Every structure is written in C-alpha cells, then in structure tokens.
Amino acid sequence: MQFAKRLDPLQFNVFADMDRAKAQARAAGQNVIDLSLGSSDLPAAAHITDAIAHSLSDTSTHGYLLFNGTRDFREAAAIWYEQKFGIAVNPETEVLPLIGSQEGTAHMPLAVLNPGDFALLLDPGYPSHAGGVHLAGGQIYPMPILAENAFLPIFEDIPTAVLAQSKMMVLSYPHNPTTAIAPVAFFEKAVDFCREHQLVLVHDFPYVDLVFDDRNSLIEAEPGNEEEYRKLMAPSIFQADRDKSVAIEFFTLSKSYSMGGFRVGYAIGNSELIAALRQVKAAVDFNQYRGILNGAISALTGPQDTVRTSVETFRKRRDAFVNALQVIGWQVPVPPATMYVWAKLPEPWAHDSVKFCTQLVQNTGVAASPGAGFGKSGEGYVRFALVESPAILEAAVRKIAEFLN
C-alpha cells in the first residue's frame, strides 16, 4: 500500500522507541519503574466519579452529544475561568469542549494554516504541537528555548522571511518538558508580537494548577484575597490579551483533576478562533459521552481541595527525587511547576539522550523520556515524570546511581 506523504514527518517517534525498550526490559525480567509518561497515577476525586457513575443509569445520556447539549459544561468552564483569573468569558461563543487539550493543539493548525505556512513552535516542546502542523501541511520554525533565557523564546531571532509566511505561534507555560513558568510580562510581549505580525497565538495550558510556590502560605494567611492569589498562579494568556484579540487557550482536566483517561478539556478564546476550531471538530467527531462532561462539571464546580492535595503530593515527590539526585552528585534545578524534572545529562551521554534512556531502562528498569524526543534543543537533557511515590522515586535514583557508576 502507498500512504499519504503527510505521514512521513510523523514516522520519527522517540517515545515509540522507548515503548519498545521498556517492553524488551520487561521481557528480560526487569521490574520497570516507568518515569517516562506524564500520566498522573493519582485517582480522580470521588465526587467526580460519582457524577459519571450516576449518569450511566440515565438513558438520556446514551446518545450523540451535539454542541448545544454541552451548554452546562461550557457554563461551568466559563465560571471556573472567571473565578480563577477575573476575566469574563462568554460560554456560547468563547468556549469549546475538547477531547483533551491535545485535540485542540492537533486540530487548530487545520483551521489556521494553508499548505506551506509556518507555525512558530517552542523547541523543546510537546510533540503533538508539531504533529498538528505536519497534518495541516504547514512548515515548522522551531524557537529554541534555552536555560540561559529562562526557557523563553527570543522573538527577535525569528527571521523576517519566516515571519512573512507565518500564521500562528504556539506557547505552553508552565512548560513541558522544561518546567519553566512564563511571567505576564512575557505574555504581553508575545501578544504584541502576534498582533504586529498578524499571528494567531495558541497557548496550551495543561499545568495551570501544578505550580509549586512556597508563597502559597500567603494565601492561607489572607483568605479571600483573590488578587494576591492570582499573583502566585501561573498566568493565563488572557491576562495579556484581555479583549481576546489574537489568542486561544487550551485547558485539560487530565492534570489538575487526574482525569487523563476520561479525555476531557476545553478551549477558551477569541470567538472567531473558537468558531473555526468548532468547524474542524464538527467534521471529525461528536463530543464525549455526556456522563464524562457531568463528571467534568462536578470537577470544575465542586470542592477544589483535591487539586491542592495533588499539587502537594507532586511537591513532595519533586523534593524527594531532586534531593536524591543531589545526594548521588547529579545537580538539577528544582522545578517550579508541572510533574517533571528536566535534568541536564552528564558525560558521556551529554549529546545522546536516546542512548542514555534506552541503556538505562535495559540495565536498571528505570524508564525516562529522552530530551531529543521534544526537539533539537532538548538534546542533552532527560525528563523524569514524578508519577511514583517518594520511596519508589528514591529507589529509582539508587538504580540510576549504579548505572552512572
């Protein structure tokens, strides 16, 4: 059989290679500690799963769900956003349900790019951002994000000829894999840049809640101080683009509410961008099962203490893992956000992250994600996902120490 040429750039997949390496390690008798996937091991809260379970016996939820049937969910999303960031959202024209935020980043290029148009992507960045551009027939200009620049792109380095053919920019902070947080001042610069060059600004925002900040004690000391609370959060793109002139932002319930397997998220943004993405979505799928959206409504409108508990769980894991790495002599920055540790590789693997990860899992059973899988500028790094208990993470570091020695 002969397949479409658009599949060609999708063939290089480091993560598929890692899956094979993990399978080989298990077949060889290794007990694999899988720190390669950012899939939360924490359960969804009981009030969420109860809402889904209750829906199952309601036969009215068993049919196709069209856009108008999602109004309750869209209203819950708009209220959640307004309460969190103090910015009003119209649930009818500025919210769109998604099957996870990845659906948004994969399908948005189909609504924005013509074949040959450029998309400006972070390098390193999340792989689905590139995949959607390839499927749309677009070209990618990777914006390197380096430690010396706080893992923020330098817009002035983008060639004029590339900008002339560019239609969209994709950002994502808190950032996977580097764990960096972008300040509002950076977003203001990005919004101005996109307005000047007539670019759609896409912000992928899955780690909105997974921010570690010891100043959270200030929130407890001053309950009800919403402005102070917002200063401590990872900012939304709409704190810089308040009139929603150029931007769209993608949220997911996978991280904050441990609902990865339920595949539920949503877009908030410019009404024309929402309408365009809705057109693409209508050609591809219906919405999720209504019971899943009922669970999502319960998540967004119900008790939020489980979110803070999850954040504290990942903070403890971060501290245990980073401290253990420091004990064995591997100095890494303390991540300010997300559920990852982004570690610069020691010699002799400083320029071959794939070899490091494949040999590590083969020899020790510890699986991690090679930085090269996130882009050219990710080479020389490895990403560890904090999806195990502190005790298991510390055991993984002991195995890593044996491998390094």
Side-chain angles (χ1 to χ4, degrees):
M1 293 184 184
Q2 294 195 0
F3 296 97
K5 292 181 179 179
R6 69 175 59 90
L7 294 183
D8 292 345
L10 304 180
Q11 291 177 2
F12 176 72
N13 190 328
V14 169
F15 302 105
D17 294 341
M18 283 305 302
D19 277 345
R20 285 190 288 272
K22 286 184 286 186
Q24 291 169 359
R26 290 189 178 99
Q30 289 281 8
N31 179 26
V32 173
I33 300 176
D34 193 350
L35 309 182
S36 66
L37 295 179
S39 179
S40 176
D41 59 313
L42 304 179
H47 65 276
I48 297 173
T49 53
D50 286 347
I52 297 171
H54 180 75
S55 301
L56 292 172
S57 60
D58 179 0
T59 57
S60 70
T61 69
H62 293 183
Y64 290 129
L65 183 61
L66 303 182
F67 179 78
N68 287 333
T70 68
R71 182 172 178 81
D72 289 348
F73 173 71
R74 288 182 279 115
E75 288 179 342
I79 291 170
W80 177 92
Y81 184 87
E82 184 170 358
Q83 290 177 342
K84 205 171 191 70
F85 295 105
I87 298 172
V89 175
N90 185 328
E92 203 60 38
T93 61
E94 296 179 338
V95 183
L96 183 69
L98 297 173
I99 305 175
S101 65
Q102 185 163 322
E103 180 196 357
T105 57
H107 285 165
M108 197 71 228
L110 292 172
V112 173
L113 301 179
N114 289 315
D117 288 341
F118 272 99
L120 311 176
L121 306 186
L122 298 178
D123 175 21
Y126 190 61
S128 80
H129 299 170
V133 176
H134 289 311
L135 290 175
Q139 301 184 74
I140 292 171
Y141 178 80
M143 299 184 292
I145 54 174
L146 309 175
E148 53 263 37
N149 298 323
F151 294 112
L152 300 174
I154 307 300
F155 299 141
E156 293 78 9
D157 290 345
I158 302 170
T160 302
V162 170
L163 278 175
Q165 289 182 257
S166 297
K167 292 292 180 63
M168 67 184 291
M169 175 189 290
V170 181
L171 301 176
S172 183
Y173 292 95
H175 185 249
N176 174 15
T178 70
T179 80
I181 299 175
V184 172
F186 167 78
F187 282 153
E188 290 171 345
K189 183 176 180 180
V191 169
D192 289 342
F193 184 85
C194 289
R195 284 175 179 155
E196 178 184 355
H197 296 283
Q198 298 182 322
L199 304 175
V200 170
L201 179 50
V202 176
H203 186 228
D204 196 12
F205 203 19
Y207 300 97
V208 51
D209 290 305
L210 284 183
V211 176
F212 313 117
D213 195 327
D214 293 333
R215 293 176 298 164
N216 281 339
S217 59
L218 293 176
I219 301 171
E220 298 172 0
E222 300 181 54
N225 189 337
E226 293 299 324
E227 285 303 315
E228 189 65 27
Y229 176 72
R230 290 180 190 125
K231 290 178 184 177
L232 307 180
M233 293 164 47
S236 160
I237 199 66
F238 296 115
Q239 290 172 267
D241 184 20
R242 287 184 171 268
D243 58 356
K244 306 182 186 74
S245 62
V246 295
I248 188 169
E249 194 160 59
F250 298 129
F251 300 83
T252 176
L253 279 76
S254 297
K255 312 301 181 183
S256 299
Y257 300 99
S258 301
M259 295 182 68
F262 294 96
R263 307 311 305 135
V264 57
Y266 52 95
I268 285 179
N270 175 279
S271 59
E272 292 180 85
L273 293 175
I274 292 289
L277 184 57
R278 181 180 168 188
Q279 284 183 281
V280 174
K281 183 177 177 64
V284 175
D285 62 64
F286 291 105
N287 293 286
Q288 299 93 324
Y289 167 55
R290 187 189 299 271
I292 290 176
L293 292 190
N294 288 342
I297 292 169
S298 183
L300 296 172
T301 62
Q304 300 297 299
D305 54 326
T306 55
V307 178
R308 295 194 182 190
T309 299
S310 294
V311 173
E312 188 60 26
T313 296
F314 283 111
R315 182 207 298 271
K316 291 177 179 176
R317 293 176 177 186
R318 174 202 67 175
D319 292 345
F321 192 72
V322 169
N323 290 340
L325 286 176
Q326 290 174 345
V327 167
I328 69 170
W330 192 345
Q331 302 299 318
V332 299
V334 178
T338 77
M339 56 172 65
Y340 309 110
V341 170
W342 184 240
K344 195 169 182 62
L345 283 166
E347 295 292 348
W349 297 279
H351 303 289
D352 198 343
S353 57
V354 174
K355 184 176 181 180
F356 171 84
C357 288
T358 53
Q359 290 192 357
L360 179 67
V361 72
Q362 288 169 1
N363 286 275
T364 70
V366 176
S369 292
F374 299 95
K376 182 179 178 181
S377 296
E379 184 56 278
Y381 286 85
V382 61
R383 191 198 74 177
F384 297 100
L386 303 171
V387 293
E388 295 284 359
S389 69
I392 293 178
L393 291 171
E394 289 167 347
V397 173
R398 290 193 292 271
K399 290 176 176 287
I400 292 170
E402 293 174 4
F403 176 74
L404 294 176
N405 292 327

